[in-house]
Amino acid sequence: MAKIIELFNHKGGVSKTTTTFNIAWKISEKNKKILLVDADPQCNLTGMFLGEDFDDYYENEETRHLNIKDAVNMAFKGSPNPITAIECPHHEKNNNLYLIPGHMDLSEYESSLNLALTSNNAILTLQNLPGAFYELIKKTCDKYDIDYVFIDMNPGLSAINQTFFMYADAFIVPTNPDPFSVMALKTLRKTLPRWKKLAESSRIYFSESTYPLPEAEMKFIGVIIQRFSLRNRKAAKPYTGKIEEIKKYIEDDFYKELSKHNMVFANSKRVDNHCLGEISDFGSLLQKAHEARIPVFALRKEDMSFSGNVYESMEAKRLGYDKLFNDISDVILELV
């Protein structure tokens, strides 16, 4: 089975979707097949992936049911039909990148999943629900010979997010240096070990179901600090204090708490302060990347449409981001 990696923070506005797309793309450049899973009802990852084809995908009779919600609908409706792999779109500029598209009504499954997770399998009609999405992912990975899965989840502490977290071999916490960043980390410090404990106990209850839960380890890779501006090639003064506060909290409290629950990698000291990277705002490169449907670091000169000194400046920034994401992807490949 491919390794499942998730970028998760219940706090919004941390560039979770963009970073998921960028890391997945960078790892795909290392001759790895990647499956992106859009588990966020906002479907931003799907929009980023499909671009101008987004509306057509959900309106076309041949593709509109090929999404994360409809693909597991039989389990939630109690149908005897088994979950099977879907025909996934692959990125037109990256043959190693596949997608299970999202659905804006995915949250309709929230109440059923919540009941399933809290009933200890006492309600037999719900026993197949927690493992249903994993079955879809597993079958799709087999179909496309996938090496790594990246799941994009919505901001929140929902039963849907809890279910997907139970599938994770490893996870990354994206954050940004604002007044609520450490507050969110404090919540995750308490919530994520609780989710792992529930996952481990739930495997017993759901072991005889059609779609059992996987033996996932849910281990912390590191934090990524992003969405801040630069001045003289360093984080601008309003952000420096918060960046150091985040690093200190991760090192002194977050990492130590997760260590108690076997949620860290033995060799994760390779990452300074457990910070995978500090990624400043992409600036004008971001719009160019969105137009080309590729990461900032994959932009070519013809994509940027800059010239002269402006191009040289933008190219230097692009190369910097390329190194950052390359270093992050190397750590992920080493640990997971």
Side-chain angles (χ1 to χ4, degrees), residues 112-239:
S112 297
L113 272 174
N114 185 57
L115 189 57
L117 292 172
T118 56
S119 67
N120 293 335
N121 208 13
I123 305 175
L124 294 179
T125 55
L126 302 177
Q127 66 180 355
N128 290 330
L129 303 190
F133 294 107
Y134 181 76
E135 182 72 8
L136 170 65
I137 293 169
K138 182 175 68 173
K139 293 282 181 66
T140 306
C141 285
D142 291 342
K143 178 181 176 72
Y144 293 103
D145 196 22
I146 297 296
D147 297 300
Y148 288 91
V149 178
F150 283 83
I151 302 178
D152 184 34
M153 300 186 288
N154 66 293
L157 299 175
S158 63
I160 289 178
N161 282 346
Q162 182 179 352
T163 299
F164 280 103
F165 187 77
M166 291 177 172
Y167 305 162
D169 292 290
F171 65 95
I172 296 167
V173 178
T175 187
N176 61 320
D178 73 9
F180 298 104
S181 55
V182 173
M183 187 183 302
L185 291 172
K186 288 179 179 179
T187 301
L188 290 178
R189 174 178 172 266
K190 295 181 292 185
T191 301
L192 298 183
R194 188 167 67 244
W195 281 2
K196 179 172 184 178
K197 184 177 180 181
L198 179 61
E200 291 175 334
S201 62
S202 295
R203 287 175 195 150
I204 300 171
Y205 297 119
F206 297 105
S207 60
E208 299 300 320
S209 66
T210 304
Y211 309 126
L213 289 170
E215 296 282 339
E217 295 189 324
M218 294 159 272
K219 290 193 173 182
F220 176 58
I221 299 176
V223 67
I224 295 177
I225 304 172
Q226 48 199 1
R227 295 201 68 180
F228 58 89
S229 57
L230 296 177
R231 182 168 296 173
N232 297 324
R233 299 184 180 181
K234 295 182 180 180
K237 191 174 181 179
Y239 301 105

Side-chain angles (χ1 to χ4, degrees), residues 39-41 68-69 103-110 133 160:
D40 185 347
I68 192 169
K69 179 179 183 287
H103 196 288
M104 67 173 295
D105 293 331
L106 181 63
S107 55
E108 288 181 3
Y109 294 157
E110 177 71 26
F133 294 107
I160 289 178

Side-chain angles (χ1 to χ4, degrees), residues 3 57 72 116 171 198 200 228 246 279 329:
K3 296 294 185 180
Y57 188 88
V72 298
F171 65 95
L198 179 61
E200 291 175 334
F228 58 89
I246 290 169
I279 305 173
S329 66

